[in-house]
Structures are given as structure tokens and as C-alpha cells.
Amino acid sequence: YARELKVRDQINDHGLRTFIPMMWKDKTLVPAITGLVFAQATRETLDAYIRSFGDARPVNYYWDRTADRPLTVPDKAMEDFIAIASTMDPDLIYLTEISDKLREGQKVIVKEGPFKGVEGKVVRIRKSRRIMVEIPGMLAVASTYVEMGNVEII
């Protein structure tokens, strides 16, 4: 897992903003998703960064197969994903496969509490109601338990 952290540091050294979802495992902070580093930049900037390594590229794009181009995450979706994932709460759940049933959840915005302003879907996982924020075509993160009185349907 050290590779993600090294890549993150290299990208940060180029002045780009990055995010790695992290979690606690055996009292050690490790990447929650192997091989995943989010970077905020234009396509041109990322292309130049990747080309700078020549054939020894340490990174590649996560490909959006439906659009036949690198996956682009809208800013609001990324902000909401980071708001939940950055808590590193042991009850967070990362989903790399999202069932149709979960996608049918009611769309809400959190009005109170630590996730205030986050938009997602109310889902029931492991007998708890949670807010799920999905990065379409990639993964989702589901929060810890959220009081339904703290959310508003949108």
C-alpha cells in the first residue's frame, strides 16, 4: 500500500490536489481502496504529468468505459465523497459494486451534524440507515448511522 502514498506525494509535489480514502487496519492507517489516488487537475495537466515519466509511468487513468475516456468526477460529488471518507470512521463502508437496490435509495441532503451539506442517497446497510455517496462507474462510500431527522429529501 505504500505505492499510493508515494504517488500521492509525487502528484502533490507537482502542485496538484489529491485524496486517498484511508482506513484503520490493525492500528495502522492504510488506503481503503488499493491502487487508488484521486487527483484534481485538468486533463492536459494530468497528461503532461503522466508523460513526464516516459515508459516508467507510476500512474494511469481510471477509464470510463461508457464514455471511452478517463473518468471525471464532478466537484460536488468529490467534495461529498471526501466529507464522508475523510472521517476514517471504522463503520464506513466502501462499495466497489453497487446494487440496483442501493441505487434506488431516496436522494437527500444532510442538514445537521458532521455531514452537513452532503448530498447522497439513504441506504440501509448492515441494519443501519446511512448516507451513500457514489462516484458513478467507480465506487461509493456509505457513512456511519445518520439520524433521519438531520436530512431533507431533495
Side-chain angles (χ1 to χ4, degrees), residues 73 76-85 93-95 98 108 110 115 118-123 130-136 139-143:
V73 181
K76 176 65 172 148
M78 194 71 228
E79 290 165 11
D80 292 345
F81 183 88
I82 290 171
I84 292 177
I93 298 172
Y94 290 93
L95 305 161
I98 300 120
V108 297
V110 180
F115 303 129
V118 169
E119 294 179 16
K121 292 186 177 176
V122 175
V123 296
R130 302 165 184 262
I131 302 298
M132 179 183 78
V133 175
E134 181 180 1
I135 296 179
L139 75 148
V141 63
S143 71

Side-chain angles (χ1 to χ4, degrees), residues 62-66 71 96 98 103 134-140:
Y62 189 93
W63 209 253
D64 181 345
R65 289 173 176 76
T66 60
L71 183 70
T96 54
I98 300 120
R103 283 198 173 96
E134 181 180 1
I135 296 179
M138 186 178 214
L139 75 148

Side-chain angles (χ1 to χ4, degrees), residues 19 28-30 38-39 41 49 55 70 80-81 87 89 94 101 114 122 126 129-130 144:
F19 179 73
T28 304
L29 200 56
V30 299
F38 289 99
Y49 170 74
D55 291 336
D80 292 345
F81 183 88
T87 67
D89 189 294
Y94 290 93
K101 182 174 178 159
V122 175
R126 295 186 190 156
R129 284 193 181 113
R130 302 165 184 262
T144 57

Side-chain angles (χ1 to χ4, degrees), residues 35 40 47-48 76 104 131 148:
Q40 183 181 34
D47 283 346
K76 176 65 172 148
E104 292 171 2
I131 302 298
M148 290 302 105

